[in-house]
Amino acid sequence: MKMWLLGSGSRGNAVLLESGDSRLLIDAGFAPSILVERLRSVEIAPESIQAVVVTHEHTDHVRGVRVLCERYGWTAHATIGTITACRDLAGCGAVPFRAGDGFSIGDMDILSVRSSHDAAEPVVLVATSRSTGARTGIAYDLGVAGQSVIDAMRDLDMLILEANHDELMLHAGPYPASVRARIAGRTGHLSNGRAGQLAREVAHRDLRQIVLAHLSEKCNTPRTALSDVHSAISRTKFTGRLTAASQDRVAGPFEPGARRATAVQLTLAL
């Protein structure tokens, strides 16, 4: 299994997964022209994508879905609540599922878990390669990680993990008090501290990649997020690579690699 982040942040999110001959996107939150450009920058033809799985209906996750599904024949998948809340998904004939369901797309089995976010029926996801057994978790846009999310994110080979904001930077930042409360609330976004707690819960020696995603441009920095999460997992058995993704550039490819012990590597995907 290979994984790319085509960009992650408040202006758009999209994750590309490849397993065997199967390729799919998790979210397509950029303008179609930007997504196509980024796919081609990693030598992926848009026509080769089979499907897009949407985590929730917010614009930074669905902006390009309808146009790209119609243009390239992709199939969209989303929860019933997400489809009901998003006219574009209903308009492109999205295949519905319920939070907690599992389903298959090509060589990948997808598990969905309800997440705590201010959307209709949001989910975090785990994709498992049937040909290799590699498992990738995508956990962003959630205010807290409940036990069901923690359990789903165990025994992964790769993890995309939200580290949205530094709590002190958010408190001192430019947002109105109501927006700050929403971001920090139980249905908002994971802080660096909460991301570190989740990473510590699920870290193990065979987890090869942790990629921090959805970083706030005003209330966080890649170095701060990396430092905070690294501190949280420094006494675990994690020996893989810890990376911070970018809003405006492709990060990857990331691969599970061999299950072996190496030194922890901190990198900025800039």
Side-chain angles (χ1 to χ4, degrees):
M1 179 178 281
K2 292 184 180 180
M3 172 184 77
W4 295 258
L5 276 82
L6 303 180
S8 184
S10 61
R11 290 184 282 111
N13 296 272
V15 177
L16 171 64
L17 298 176
E18 178 182 273
S19 178
D21 295 329
S22 302
R23 289 171 175 160
L24 64 88
L25 289 181
I26 307 299
D27 294 329
F30 295 95
S33 59
I34 292 174
L35 269 174
V36 169
E37 178 185 1
R38 293 189 186 176
L39 285 168
R40 289 176 173 161
S41 75
V42 293
E43 301 182 341
I44 300 293
E47 297 86 349
S48 70
I49 304 292
Q50 292 174 257
V52 54
V53 183
V54 177
T55 60
H56 63 291
E57 71 271 15
H58 291 167
T59 303
D60 58 325
H61 296 262
V62 301
R63 184 178 284 112
V65 171
R66 180 169 184 170
V67 169
L68 292 171
C69 284
E70 292 175 348
R71 183 180 299 172
Y72 297 110
W74 302 351
T75 301
H77 299 255
T79 61
I80 295 170
T82 298
I83 295 170
T84 301
C86 181
R87 185 177 301 174
D88 278 358
L89 287 171
C92 70
V95 178
F97 63 91
R98 292 192 179 278
D101 285 353
F103 52 96
S104 298
I105 299 173
D107 191 49
M108 284 174 267
D109 294 328
I110 310 298
L111 172 67
S112 67
V113 179
R114 181 70 182 251
S115 63
S116 58
H117 194 51
D118 54 356
E121 193 182 354
V123 291
V124 300
L125 300 167
V126 176
T128 302
S129 168
R130 288 206 301 277
S131 58
T132 68
R135 303 178 74 241
T136 297
I138 300 97
Y140 53 38
D141 287 72
L142 66 163
V144 295
Q147 193 60 49
S148 60
V149 171
I150 294 171
D151 290 344
M153 297 298 148
R154 297 189 191 279
D155 198 31
L156 298 175
D157 296 278
M158 299 187 287
L159 170 63
I160 298 174
L161 174 62
E162 177 173 63
N164 177 256
H165 60 277
D166 172 83
E167 292 181 358
L168 293 178
M169 291 177 69
L170 176 64
H171 180 74
Y175 297 120
S178 60
V179 175
R180 295 198 304 268
R182 172 195 169 269
I183 293 170
R186 293 184 62 83
T187 58
H189 293 275
L190 287 184
S191 66
N192 294 346
R194 286 179 176 174
Q197 291 172 8
L198 176 54
R200 185 169 58 242
E201 285 278 351
V202 303
H204 59 96
R205 66 179 298 171
D206 292 325
L207 177 60
R208 305 311 312 144
Q209 309 281 353
I210 299 177
V211 185
L212 304 182
H214 219 304
L215 275 65
S216 170
E217 294 180 284
K218 296 181 179 180
C219 300
N220 210 354
T221 70
R223 292 188 185 280
T224 300
L226 285 167
S227 177
D228 289 349
V229 175
H230 178 256
S231 294
I233 62 175
S234 60
R235 295 188 179 182
T236 70
K237 294 181 179 180
F238 177 72
T239 57
R241 184 183 180 201
L242 176 62
T243 303
S246 169
Q247 172 72 92
D248 297 315
R249 296 176 180 83
V250 177
F254 300 96
E255 299 184 65
R259 291 200 165 199
R260 58 184 176 82
T262 58
V264 175
Q265 304 172 53
L266 302 181
T267 59
L268 302 180
L270 302 176

